[in-house]
């Protein structure tokens, strides 16, 4: 990794020689301006609006135009004479608690590494002091001929530098926030919290990718291979939430199904036998109800092959009489046996 700045961190009389490295890089594909009919590159020329001549880069200066149309020309030599106290120094202004820094002020990110073996000891001293006190350092640094406010903090075993916007560069939000009269109910907060928990289960930040960039890469590859590319339509975001609770509940259900599908792959259903049908919930309920009624009545039904007919009234009467006679005979036999037993005993 190539360093882009060399200097020192200065706090009090302590100096820590360091080198600055870019901590981030864009992964975007660089697209050029071309002619849509033949693909020829389009070059932009630097042309003076006064004389109409093309100007070489070495003669390009900076300028400021006031309200009356007067222009102040500022050359590179003029800029080089401006005082930059922090030109080769990361000047620590104060050490503050991390929560005092609003993330909206943060801009670029850089790694800070010790410049030499002699710088290791003061580097580790500053790093461990920041870590144990849970503080960050507000500093100033000059990058690319411009002085910038910066934040020095610990990141794993390194210290990082984040350039910051100056306080007067942060725009006032004005009345962009919703009015204070808007309130939410406790159950809505509970549902929203449940949705947050569901969406946060097994979340892996490192697994995220730029879907637009992937699609752009596929598109360019398809054009280079002279083949068509499938177009993917993006579902529109909902723009009219009528029932907030219903929307939250549906969101939780959708997120839960998605999480379950990712964690447990779907099992294959067993093969059905020919002619076998799946019982619907309505049929299952009806079957359970019929079985319960039959058990309560104590009726036993016999199933015969073919079509079964209900017994006639005469058959029912005959069966009842036969049952009565059998029961009477059994009772008489039991009584006679008891009498015989008592006689033998006496």
């Amino acid at each position: 990794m190539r360093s882009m700045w060399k200097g020192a961190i200065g706090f009090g009389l302590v100096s820590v020689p360091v080198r600055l490295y870019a901590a981030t890089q864009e992964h975007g594909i660089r697209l050029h301006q071309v002619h849509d009919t033949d693909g020829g590159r389009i070059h932009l020329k630097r042309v003076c609006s006064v004389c109409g001549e093309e100007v070489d880069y070495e003669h390009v200066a900076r300028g400021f135009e006031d309200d009356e149309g007067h222009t102040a020309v500022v050359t590179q030599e003029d800029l080089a004479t401006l005082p930059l106290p922090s030109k080769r120094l990361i000047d620590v202004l104060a050490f503050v608690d991390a929560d005092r820094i609003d993330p909206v002020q943060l801009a670029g990110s850089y790694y800070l590494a010790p410049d030499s073996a002699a710088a290791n000891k003061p580097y580790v001293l500053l790093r461990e002091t920041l870590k144990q006190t849970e503080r960050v350092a507000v500093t100033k640094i000059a990058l690319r001929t411009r002085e910038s406010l910066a934040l020095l903090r610990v990141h794993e075993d390194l210290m990082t530098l984040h350039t910051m916007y100056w306080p007067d560069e942060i725009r006032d939000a004005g009345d962009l926030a919703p009015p204070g009269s808007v309130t939410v109910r406790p159950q809505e907060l509970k549902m929203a919290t449940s949705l947050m928990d569901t969406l946060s289960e097994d979340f892996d930040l490192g697994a995220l990718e730029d879907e637009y960039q992937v699609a752009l890469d596929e598109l360019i590859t398809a054009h280079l291979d002279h083949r068509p590319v499938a177009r993917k339509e993006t579902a529109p975001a909902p723009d009219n939430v009528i029932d907030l609770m219903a929307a939250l509940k549906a969101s939780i259900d959708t997120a839960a199904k998605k999480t379950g599908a990712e964690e447990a792959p779907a099992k294959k259903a067993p093969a059905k036998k020919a002619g076998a049908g799946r019982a619907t919930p309505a049929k299952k309920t009806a079957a359970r109800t019929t079985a319960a009624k039959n058990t309560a009545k104590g009726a036993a039904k016999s199933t015969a092959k073919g079509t079964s007919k209900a017994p006639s009234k005469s058959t029912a009467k005959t069966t009842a009489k036969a049952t009565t006679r059998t029961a009477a005979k059994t009772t008489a036999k039991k009584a006679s046996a008891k009498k015989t037993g008592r006689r033998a005993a006496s």
Side-chain angles (χ1 to χ4, degrees):
M1 189 182 298
R2 184 178 179 181
S3 64
M4 54 175 296
W5 185 90
K6 180 181 178 179
I9 303 173
F11 63 106
L13 299 178
V14 179
S15 178
V16 185
V18 293
R19 288 181 179 267
L20 195 70
Y21 301 85
T24 59
Q25 62 180 3
E26 294 185 359
H27 57 226
I29 298 176
R30 185 176 180 181
L31 300 177
H32 306 289
Q33 290 185 341
V34 297
H35 193 188
D36 60 353
T37 58
D38 55 17
R41 289 284 299 271
I42 297 177
H43 298 281
L44 302 180
K45 296 182 178 181
R46 294 179 293 270
V47 179
C48 177
S49 62
V50 177
C51 62
E53 296 181 0
E54 186 175 352
V55 181
D56 295 334
Y57 185 77
E58 61 180 0
H59 294 294
V60 176
R62 305 295 178 89
F64 175 80
E65 183 176 351
D66 61 10
D67 296 337
E68 298 179 357
H70 302 142
T71 301
V73 179
V74 181
T75 64
Q76 295 295 336
E77 291 76 9
D78 294 333
L79 295 174
T81 61
L82 295 178
L84 283 176
S86 56
K87 192 170 184 178
R88 289 296 172 189
L89 178 67
I90 301 176
D91 188 16
V92 176
L93 306 178
F95 295 94
V96 299
D97 294 335
D99 56 4
R100 286 188 56 184
I101 305 301
D102 192 337
V104 76
Q105 285 189 259
L106 301 181
S109 299
Y110 303 90
Y111 291 137
L112 279 175
D115 185 36
S116 62
N120 288 338
K121 183 65 177 290
Y123 184 95
V124 173
L125 173 62
L126 179 57
R127 184 194 66 190
E128 294 304 310
T129 304
L130 289 173
K131 186 183 298 184
Q132 292 182 14
T133 59
E134 298 182 351
R135 291 183 179 181
V136 294
V138 179
T139 70
K140 289 199 303 183
I141 186 175
L143 293 174
R144 301 183 183 93
T145 68
R146 180 185 177 186
E147 190 174 52
S148 175
L149 200 62
L151 178 72
L152 182 66
R153 72 178 185 91
V154 177
H155 173 71
E156 297 178 352
D157 293 332
L158 277 177
M159 286 189 290
T160 58
L161 188 77
H162 304 269
T163 53
M164 301 172 61
Y165 295 103
W166 295 94
D168 60 352
E169 292 179 321
I170 306 299
R171 302 173 63 180
D172 186 9
D175 57 352
L176 298 179
S181 59
V182 178
T183 58
V184 292
R185 296 176 295 172
Q187 54 267 39
E188 292 171 340
L189 286 173
K190 185 177 180 180
M191 290 289 288
T193 303
S194 179
L195 176 57
M196 289 181 181
D197 295 338
T198 304
L199 292 175
S200 303
E201 291 179 357
D202 301 325
F203 175 71
D204 184 7
L205 183 61
L208 299 180
E209 65 175 4
D210 188 346
E211 297 181 5
Y212 175 85
Q213 197 62 41
V214 173
L216 179 60
D217 183 64
E218 293 177 356
L219 177 64
I220 293 176
T221 303
H223 283 317
L224 293 176
D225 295 341
H226 303 286
R227 58 178 174 83
V229 61
R231 296 184 179 272
K232 300 179 181 179
E233 296 183 359
T234 304
D239 57 354
N240 185 20
V241 180
I242 299 176
D243 190 339
L244 184 58
M245 288 294 291
L248 289 170
K249 179 64 169 61
S251 300
I252 294 174
D253 294 341
T254 302
K257 290 179 180 178
K258 183 178 180 181
T259 304
E262 292 177 351
E263 293 180 353
K267 297 181 180 180
K268 293 184 178 180
K272 296 180 181 179
K273 295 181 180 180
R278 181 178 294 177
T280 62
K283 291 182 179 180
K284 291 181 179 179
T285 303
R288 288 194 294 267
T289 304
T290 303
K293 290 182 178 180
N294 291 340
T295 302
K297 292 179 180 179
K301 293 185 178 180
S302 61
T303 305
K305 296 181 179 179
T307 306
S308 60
K309 296 181 181 180
S312 61
K313 294 181 179 180
S314 59
T315 303
K317 291 180 179 180
T318 304
T319 303
K321 290 180 179 180
T323 302
T324 303
R325 287 195 298 269
T326 303
K329 290 180 179 179
T330 302
T331 304
K333 288 180 179 180
K334 290 182 178 180
S336 177
K338 290 180 179 180
K339 291 179 179 180
T340 305
R342 284 195 297 268
R343 290 174 183 172
S346 59

